[in-house]
Amino acid sequence: APNGSVPGKIMVMGFPFETITSVAAKEEVAGYILRFMGYDVSVDRQSIIPRTTELFQNYPNPFNPVTRIPYVIAADAYVELDIFNLRGERVLQLTAGRQSAGRHEVIFDGTNLASGVYVYRLSIDGQSVKAGKMALTK
């Protein structure tokens, strides 16, 4: 602060905090901010493990050519995240492997794909959980 005797820090977010819909994600972001500000805090990992598995909308959407696909899983599991064209053909598998419970995010690069609408699907332990649509514009 001008003419202040103690150095300070400012945190500017490029989005409104209240747009974070998951309680776990809010706690995680708030913990990062408080640690950045110099407070000695810890977020109890147990409190931020989700109770349900969720697949969120990719962002940005539409995108060119890179987007992020966030999801949370409630328990350790074998996770697959696949991309399909509108004919139902799998064009890419983004994730295939065992993952721990919590928040995850995959970056999808559509550089080698044609413009159009694609479907992304999250499967947990071989069971399809949820799908979303995204638009690639070039």
Side-chain angles (χ1 to χ4, degrees), residues 21-115:
T21 57
S22 156
V23 172
K26 280 183 184 178
E27 289 176 356
E28 188 176 10
V29 170
Y32 288 133
I33 292 169
L34 289 170
R35 282 191 294 279
F36 173 79
M37 294 294 187
Y39 293 95
D40 185 22
V41 298
S42 65
V43 177
D44 179 15
R45 181 80 174 127
Q46 288 299 98
S47 71
I48 62 172
I49 293 178
R51 291 192 173 107
T52 61
T53 297
E54 295 181 60
L55 176 65
F56 299 102
Q57 181 65 49
N58 69 298
Y59 63 92
N61 190 34
F63 65 99
N64 176 21
V66 177
T67 189
R68 296 171 182 271
I69 304 172
Y71 58 95
V72 294
I73 57 176
D76 295 1
Y78 184 84
V79 176
E80 293 176 295
L81 184 61
D82 299 302
I83 306 295
F84 296 88
N85 62 23
L86 289 181
R87 292 187 297 251
E89 302 164 330
R90 184 170 73 182
V91 295
L92 191 62
Q93 186 166 61
L94 297 176
T95 299
R98 196 124 189 102
Q99 294 185 354
S100 59
R103 185 181 190 286
H104 301 271
E105 183 175 272
V106 176
I107 296 175
F108 170 56
D109 186 342
T111 300
N112 297 325
L113 297 175
S115 293

